[in-house]
Amino acid sequence: MSECVLQMKKVTKEFPGVKALSDVDFNIYKGECMALIGENGAGKSTLMKVLSGVYPKYEGEIVFRGKKVAFDTPRQANEAGIAIIHQELNMISYMKIYENIFLGREIKTKFGKLDKKAMVQKAKELMDEMEIDLDPNEEVCNLSLAKQQMVEIAKALSMNADIIVMDEPTDALPESDVKNLFRIINGLRGKDIGVVYISHKLGEVFEICDRITVLRDGQFIAENKVEELDEDALIKLMVGRTLEEQFPHVEYGESETVFEVKNLSNQYIHDVSFSAKKGEIIGVSGLVGAGRTELAKTIYGAYRAESGQIFLNGKEIKSNSPKEAISNGIYYISEDRKGDGLILDLDIKSNITISCIEKLTKNTIIQKKKELEVCGGYRDKLNIKTPSIHQKIKNLSGGNQQKVAIAKGLITDPQVLLIDEPTRGVDVGAKKEIYDLINLFKMQGKTIILISSEMPEILGMSDKVLVMHEGTIKGEVDRKDATGEVILELIFAKRG
Ligand SMILES: Nc1ncnc2c1ncn2[C@@H]1O[C@H](COP(=O)(O)OP(=O)(O)OP(=O)(O)O)[C@@H](O)[C@H]1O
Ligand SMILES: [Mg+2]
């Protein structure tokens, strides 16, 4: 039986109007990977922020290596040996890798000057130890998300952490980087470090974790060894019920082509053509970097098309900006909800209505009552967990932020909806709600272009699948012929 290095006992944390945690118990074991699982808003990130000194005010206690501890700042937690890699990575992008690793803990020479050489050297050693090939002098803004994460892990190692918390680390990582991360986690286990792993990807949890703790609505539900559970049992613990079919496919029936893209090209995409019908979901599959997001952004007017045409209802449309695209009836819900989706410092209501404020305005006056009604409606439909639509976006859990991003798109009532990785960071129950909403939209006769890296999502939802690779369309597959193998074959097929 592994030794329990850290225990959180009866932890309660309240925010104004929200009891995020009530009497939660949580254990971390030496050299083990503990999964922390629960629906969006269950309290996972909050529990880890209590642990790591981000929220110094809470009830309950934390016992670390046999002693009661309390951290007033993240720095104190770091010094004690607890490091956290937050859901929102927080590195300073214009600084170099080694500067980020030693930020606030710079190594100095005996004359009190920054010892750049020693820091670069130490950073290099850390990365060698993790078997990753990065130059410590590289600026963080040039790194992929996966590499930034590796740097965060190197930083945690540099603190000699006994406990490393990873909050949804694979949320945006391609498959190959996930494997690499698992290799590194295994290395951490070998060094007797306790790892906490938060993820909505249950398959990964069973692959890499030793034990699972489940939270639901801010309460402790269970702690089990992985071999004691299977996926269905885990989902039941998470959502308190079994889920019906995950991908409820609906048929719109016969309909005409309404949307056509012809020979669209620019620096990102080459000669892309496809067409879509009313009430049709077109899935766009491909590897990360295949040009799927770039295609969507070109259709949306965020990138310029150098050549090619777009037709809606038989008429050619030109969208030189997202604003024009929206007025043409096209909307794009971004995969990057924080970068170009939501404004974190504004409340839910303002974020939802920002893209369609004209529709809620009469004689230049915003119709407040209508605005509240409409926003409240979406909160209910999408089950956005929040005490009020006046809550700031930054105070919502990751998955609930994603739901707001979707509401913001639906409210513009587009005829063509481009939706990019809609269920990233979203729990199993909420995924189903998002799929139901997409289907509802489809049954209203809208056209949906669904970009997703999750094969089951593509296969489950789409009427037709476009397979993209290196900026071109490699093939089109009808729903009835679409399987994972067919799609992968097309991705890897030689051009000819
Ligand atoms: N700073 C805050 N102010 C107010 N409410 C907050 C704050 N942080 C979190 N909450 C609320 O506390 C609850 C728990 O949120 P938390 O972020 O811990 O969820 P989570 O389990 O990490 O979810 P997700 O899987 O979506 O990331 C949510 O209802 C959230 O809205
Ligand atoms: Mg979270």
Side-chain angles (χ1 to χ4, degrees):
M1 172 91 190
S2 306
E3 181 189 332
C4 184
V5 266
L6 186 136
Q7 283 174 292
M8 297 179 83
K9 294 183 189 170
K10 299 224 164 303
V11 172
T12 297
K13 171 75 194 166
E14 280 182 64
F15 297 109
V18 189
K19 199 166 194 179
L21 299 169
S22 52
D23 283 338
V24 171
D25 291 333
F26 184 64
N27 301 317
I28 304 173
Y29 299 84
K30 194 169 165 178
E32 283 196 5
C33 185
M34 173 63 93
L36 181 56
I37 301 297
E39 289 182 282
N40 296 130
K44 305 176 296 291
S45 297
T46 304
L47 187 67
M48 292 302 101
K49 286 179 182 166
V50 165
L51 173 64
S52 57
V54 177
Y55 297 141
K57 290 205 181 78
Y58 58 91
E59 288 162 46
E61 63 176 42
I62 305 178
V63 178
F64 184 31
R65 297 200 212 98
K67 277 206 227 58
K68 190 172 169 204
V69 290
F71 307 120
D72 288 331
T73 59
R75 183 156 185 168
Q76 285 180 10
N78 286 341
E79 282 164 2
I82 297 173
I84 176 163
I85 300 167
H86 287 284
Q87 198 163 356
E88 311 77 22
L89 294 180
N90 46 12
M91 272 188 297
I92 306 190
S93 60
Y94 56 83
M95 283 176 41
K96 296 183 168 152
I97 291 181
Y98 83 86
E99 291 172 320
N100 267 289
I101 291 182
F102 294 102
L103 188 66
R105 305 174 298 125
E106 289 81 3
I107 304 179
K108 302 214 168 112
T109 63
K110 56 180 186 262
F111 306 112
K113 282 201 167 151
L114 291 184
D115 191 345
K116 178 178 170 192
K117 210 171 140 208
M119 288 189 279
V120 169
Q121 172 68 26
K122 183 82 184 101
K124 187 81 194 119
E125 281 168 24
L126 288 165
M127 289 188 287
D128 287 346
E129 196 181 315
M130 290 166 63
E131 294 174 42
I132 48 174
D133 185 25
L134 281 178
D135 175 0
N137 279 304
E138 182 84 59
E139 280 187 17
V140 163
C141 55
N142 297 330
L143 303 179
S144 69
L145 216 53
K147 298 247 164 72
Q148 291 190 27
Q149 218 157 40
M150 301 298 163
V151 175
E152 291 254 26
I153 297 173
K155 182 172 178 176
L157 284 175
S158 77
M159 295 171 187
N160 287 321
D162 292 312
I163 288 174
I164 300 182
V165 177
M166 302 184 190
D167 196 347
E168 299 195 32
T170 61
D171 205 27
L173 290 194
E175 194 74 6
S176 53
D177 289 321
V178 173
K179 291 280 169 274
N180 204 20
L181 179 69
F182 284 3
R183 183 180 57 75
I184 289 167
I185 292 178
N186 278 326
L188 299 176
R189 288 207 286 212
K191 287 204 195 101
D192 279 347
I193 293 171
V195 178
V196 179
Y197 193 84
I198 301 181
S199 176
H200 292 292
K201 299 182 179 167
L202 303 184
E204 288 180 357
V205 166
F206 283 100
E207 190 176 337
I208 192 72
C209 298
D210 301 284
R211 288 175 214 252
I212 304 179
T213 298
V214 181
L215 300 185
R216 192 197 310 148
D217 294 335
Q219 300 194 336
F220 170 86
I221 299 295
E223 182 196 300
N224 285 98
K225 292 193 163 174
V226 275
E227 53 277 14
E228 294 164 355
L229 294 173
D230 59 19
E231 207 158 299
D232 285 343
L234 180 57
I235 291 176
K236 194 157 179 209
L237 289 172
M238 282 172 68
V239 302
R241 62 192 154 91
T242 43
L243 283 183
E244 334 76 82
E245 202 198 347
Q246 180 66 289
F247 304 102
H249 184 254
V250 292
E251 285 295 337
Y252 181 76
E254 279 303 303
S255 64
E256 71 277 22
T257 295
V258 284
F259 185 63
E260 272 178 291
V261 170
K262 285 190 184 159
N263 312 102
L264 206 59
S265 291
N266 59 18
Q267 72 213 85
Y268 308 109
I269 53 168
H270 315 293
D271 203 19
V272 170
S273 301
F274 68 92
S275 66
K277 294 178 185 160
K278 235 175 122 122
E280 192 171 45
I281 298 180
I282 308 276
V284 187
S285 189
L287 304 175
V288 172
R292 298 170 300 169
T293 294
E294 288 74 10
L295 170 63
K297 286 191 169 176
T298 306
I299 294 172
Y300 188 49
Y303 294 148
R304 263 196 114 69
E306 275 151 24
S307 56
Q309 293 167 296
I310 299 172
F311 297 87
L312 186 58
N313 303 320
K315 276 213 286 289
E316 181 171 2
I317 53 165
K318 296 245 185 250
S319 307
N320 289 312
S321 66
K323 200 167 173 219
E324 266 182 74
I326 293 173
S327 65
N328 285 330
I330 296 176
Y331 195 88
Y332 169 66
I333 301 179
S334 172
E335 61 177 332
D336 178 10
R337 61 178 176 253
K338 294 197 191 83
D340 52 16
L342 298 172
I343 303 169
L344 299 184
D345 272 317
L346 287 183
D347 66 4
I348 298 177
K349 175 177 68 67
S350 314
N351 267 283
I352 293 185
T353 55
I354 202 163
S355 48
C356 68
I357 203 70
E358 298 85 11
K359 285 193 190 156
L360 297 167
T361 309
K362 204 172 176 183
N363 306 329
T364 71
I365 298 168
I366 299 176
Q367 296 176 286
K368 291 244 171 339
K369 194 161 161 249
K370 190 164 170 206
E371 190 183 14
L372 286 178
E373 252 173 46
V374 172
C375 293
Y378 276 99
R379 177 184 65 181
D380 297 346
K381 252 190 245 167
L382 281 163
N383 198 7
I384 299 170
K385 283 190 194 133
T386 170
S388 140
I389 56 171
H390 302 294
Q391 182 73 261
K392 284 193 178 161
I393 295 292
K394 66 176 177 202
N395 292 338
L396 294 184
S397 77
N400 282 302
Q401 291 182 358
Q402 180 65 7
K403 293 184 191 177
V404 175
I406 292 178
K408 182 183 162 194
L410 295 183
I411 204 171
T412 67
D413 194 29
Q415 198 185 339
V416 178
L417 180 69
L418 303 149
I419 186 164
D420 201 347
E421 304 288 1
T423 64
R424 184 180 279 172
V426 164
D427 71 59
V428 281
K431 271 187 176 173
K432 173 88 165 51
E433 286 158 15
I434 291 174
Y435 298 143
D436 286 342
L437 210 78
I438 292 178
N439 278 335
L440 192 74
F441 208 63
K442 166 181 178 171
M443 294 315 273
Q444 290 167 4
K446 315 287 184 167
T447 301
I448 294 127
I449 298 174
L450 169 70
I451 299 172
S452 170
S453 296
E454 289 194 38
M455 193 67 87
E457 185 165 294
I458 287 280
L459 297 176
M461 295 295 291
S462 313
D463 296 294
K464 185 165 92 181
V465 183
L466 301 179
V467 182
M468 276 192 89
H469 192 60
E470 294 179 347
T472 61
I473 304 238
K474 299 280 289 268
E476 234 184 75
V477 191
D478 204 65
R479 176 180 179 80
K480 64 179 184 332
D481 308 316
T483 63
E485 293 84 69
V486 170
I487 288 171
L488 284 176
E489 262 169 37
L490 277 170
I491 290 177
F492 292 111
K494 291 225 165 45
R495 230 173 295 182

